[in-house]
């Protein structure tokens, strides 16, 4: 599977299990909850709603601390020795609200999708040769890739010369790609790490789908976008209706979304819009990924950014094993 990254994660998990188990660690130390509500069980219907079950160890739900690099990037947020939930929550809040995380700068979509195939991607601007990445469910990882192999400027196609950082037209992150809204009202997809064009759609609108979508322009619906993953686009209507289209705007299905677990009975819209205290949506990874911490206000985040050094994003998947470092 996942090369050096996979080996490092297995070693970490084995060490924890040897000490009494990952669930015991979560109960003992109580870091910050990070969970995915799994889309792959979408055919489980209760009362007409498509139930997305919450995942737990050994799947994708954990009490975890964010990437180790954040401890030195935001020293003012580290409480005591840093080995406590307050520090974990502080650093998660700073990370997920930073405007310099890839996918976290657009104002065009309903929600920002910074979760790219499990990962949140960032760099420390004081470190010129590394791009950091962290699976949301791994506790305090130290993973990074060499920036020389992972350019932050795109080449070719309609977004040539654009930066991956702080870009309003970067709509979402997903499975080794970034999703872009082009000037002509179409979509383009760029590969990471190469920064090169993977697919340039020619469609400016939807030609299939339910009423209100068939015949609508992409620009009129981009404000409903909440995520992109595995070649599919996710749009939210109302409180819980999720319209799913493929990468070239072909209709896939409609879900009437329903949470179970900790968020049972809450609407997806309320979580995405920050109306459920203590939970922050960070994107779509075969289901919504949600961090159990309320973000700090944008103004405060910017102050923390200036004090702590800032964030920007980048990462790699298992097929690029030669480029990974740990």
């Amino acid at each position: 599977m996942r090369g050096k990254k996979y080996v490092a994660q297995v070693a970490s998990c084995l060490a924890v299990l040897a000490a009494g188990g990952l669930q015991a660690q979560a109960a003992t130390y109580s870091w910050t909850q990070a969970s995915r509500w799994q889309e792959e069980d979408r055919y489980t219907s209760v009362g007409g709603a498509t139930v997305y079950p919450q995942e737990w160890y050994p799947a994708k739900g954990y009490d975890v601390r964010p990437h180790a690099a954040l401890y030195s990037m935001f020293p003012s947020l580290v409480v005591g020795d840093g080995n406590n939930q307050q520090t974990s929550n502080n650093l998660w809040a700073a990370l997920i609200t930073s405007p310099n995380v890839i996918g976290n700068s657009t104002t065009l979509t309903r929600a920002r999708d910074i979760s790219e195939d499990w990962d949140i991607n960032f760099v420390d601007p004081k470190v010129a040769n590394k791009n950091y990445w962290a699976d949301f469910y791994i506790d305090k990882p130290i993973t990074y890739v060499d920036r020389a192999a992972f350019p932050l400027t795109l080449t070719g196609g309609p977004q040539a010369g654009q930066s991956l950082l702080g870009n309003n037209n970067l709509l979402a992150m997903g499975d080794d790609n970034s999703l872009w809204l082009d000037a002509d009202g179409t979509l383009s997809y760029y590969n990471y790490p190469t920064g090169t064009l993977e697919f340039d759609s020619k469609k400016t609108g939807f030609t299939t789908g339910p009423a209100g979508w068939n015949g609508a322009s992409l620009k009129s619906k981009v404000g409903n976008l909440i995520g992109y993953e595995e070649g599919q686009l996710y749009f939210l209507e109302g409180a819980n209706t999720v319209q799913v289209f493929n990468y070239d705007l072909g209709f896939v299905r409609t879900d009437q979304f329903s949470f179970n677990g900790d968020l049972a009975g809450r609407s997806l819209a309320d979580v995405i819009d920050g109306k459920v205290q203590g939970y922050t949506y960070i994107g779509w990874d075969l289901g919504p990924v949600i961090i159990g911490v309320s973000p700090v206000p944008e103004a405060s985040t910017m102050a923390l950014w200036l004090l702590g050094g800032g964030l920007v994003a980048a990462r790699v998947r298992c097929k690029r094993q030669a480029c990974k470092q740990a």
Side-chain angles (χ1 to χ4, degrees):
M1 327 255 335
R2 298 179 70 91
K4 292 180 182 177
K5 174 178 172 184
Y6 178 76
V7 172
Q9 291 174 359
V10 170
S12 175
C13 288
L14 288 175
V16 170
L17 289 170
L22 190 55
Q23 288 177 312
Q25 181 203 36
T28 301
Y29 295 103
S30 186
W31 309 127
T32 303
Q33 179 183 300
S35 292
R36 178 176 72 174
W37 274 257
Q38 169 71 304
E39 174 192 355
E40 291 179 352
D41 292 332
R42 59 184 174 269
Y43 299 111
T44 302
S45 180
V46 177
T50 307
V51 176
Y52 282 53
Q54 186 174 10
E55 293 186 310
W56 297 102
Y57 179 80
K60 298 290 181 293
Y62 300 86
D63 279 355
V64 293
R65 292 167 291 183
H67 198 285
L70 299 179
Y71 287 73
S72 59
M73 292 166 61
F74 294 96
S76 65
L77 302 183
V78 177
V79 178
D81 65 359
N83 193 35
N84 51 65
Q85 186 173 14
Q86 184 176 353
T87 296
S88 177
N89 286 352
N90 288 348
L91 295 176
W92 271 112
L95 173 64
I96 62 183
T97 57
S98 168
N100 293 288
V101 173
I102 287 183
N104 213 21
S105 297
T106 186
T107 60
L108 301 177
T109 59
R110 175 70 177 271
R112 293 172 179 172
D113 181 2
I114 62 173
S115 174
E116 181 263 311
D117 193 42
W118 312 336
D119 295 347
I120 302 173
N121 307 287
F122 65 97
V123 305
D124 181 345
K126 301 186 300 293
V127 180
N129 64 338
K130 295 178 182 179
N131 293 346
Y132 297 101
W133 58 269
D135 287 344
F136 70 81
Y137 57 88
I138 298 298
D139 181 49
K140 203 178 181 180
I142 58 173
T143 44
Y144 68 89
V145 296
D146 289 329
R147 185 173 306 171
F150 294 77
L152 300 179
T153 301
L154 304 181
T155 58
Q159 298 293 338
Q162 292 294 310
S163 173
L164 286 167
L165 310 180
N167 204 307
N168 195 48
N169 289 322
L170 199 172
L171 301 180
M173 298 296 293
D175 55 301
D176 296 322
N177 289 318
S178 53
L179 169 66
W180 296 77
L181 179 65
D182 299 332
D184 63 357
T186 65
L187 296 174
S188 58
Y189 300 78
Y190 281 78
N191 178 253
Y192 185 78
T194 64
T196 57
L197 181 68
E198 277 209 354
F199 180 74
D200 184 12
S201 176
K202 303 303 180 184
K203 293 185 177 178
T204 58
F206 303 86
T207 56
T208 59
W213 289 81
N214 190 348
S217 69
L218 172 64
K219 283 190 172 181
S220 72
K221 294 294 188 180
V222 74
N224 296 84
L225 186 70
I226 61 171
Y228 157 58
E229 191 67 40
E230 299 293 344
Q232 295 195 147
L233 309 176
Y234 298 83
F235 299 83
L236 180 64
E237 282 190 303
N240 288 302
T241 301
V242 180
Q243 305 291 359
V244 186
F245 289 81
N246 69 20
Y247 66 95
D248 205 24
L249 304 185
F251 179 68
V252 176
R253 71 177 190 274
T254 299
D255 282 355
Q256 294 299 323
F257 185 94
S258 177
F259 284 113
N260 81 346
D262 290 348
L263 291 172
R266 307 308 296 258
S267 74
L268 181 57
D270 280 349
V271 174
I272 283 176
D273 294 341
K275 296 179 179 179
V276 180
Q277 181 67 27
Y279 292 91
T280 298
Y281 174 88
I282 66 166
W284 200 276
D285 169 33
L286 299 181
V289 179
I290 296 168
I291 304 297
V293 62
S294 296
V296 295
E298 291 290 338
S300 297
T301 303
M302 289 304 298
L304 294 173
W305 169 261
L306 294 173
L307 289 170
L311 302 168
V312 173
R315 73 80 84 177
V316 62
R317 283 182 71 186
C318 55
K319 56 191 173 189
R320 305 192 195 92
Q321 298 165 8
C323 300
K324 296 178 186 170
Q325 307 286 337

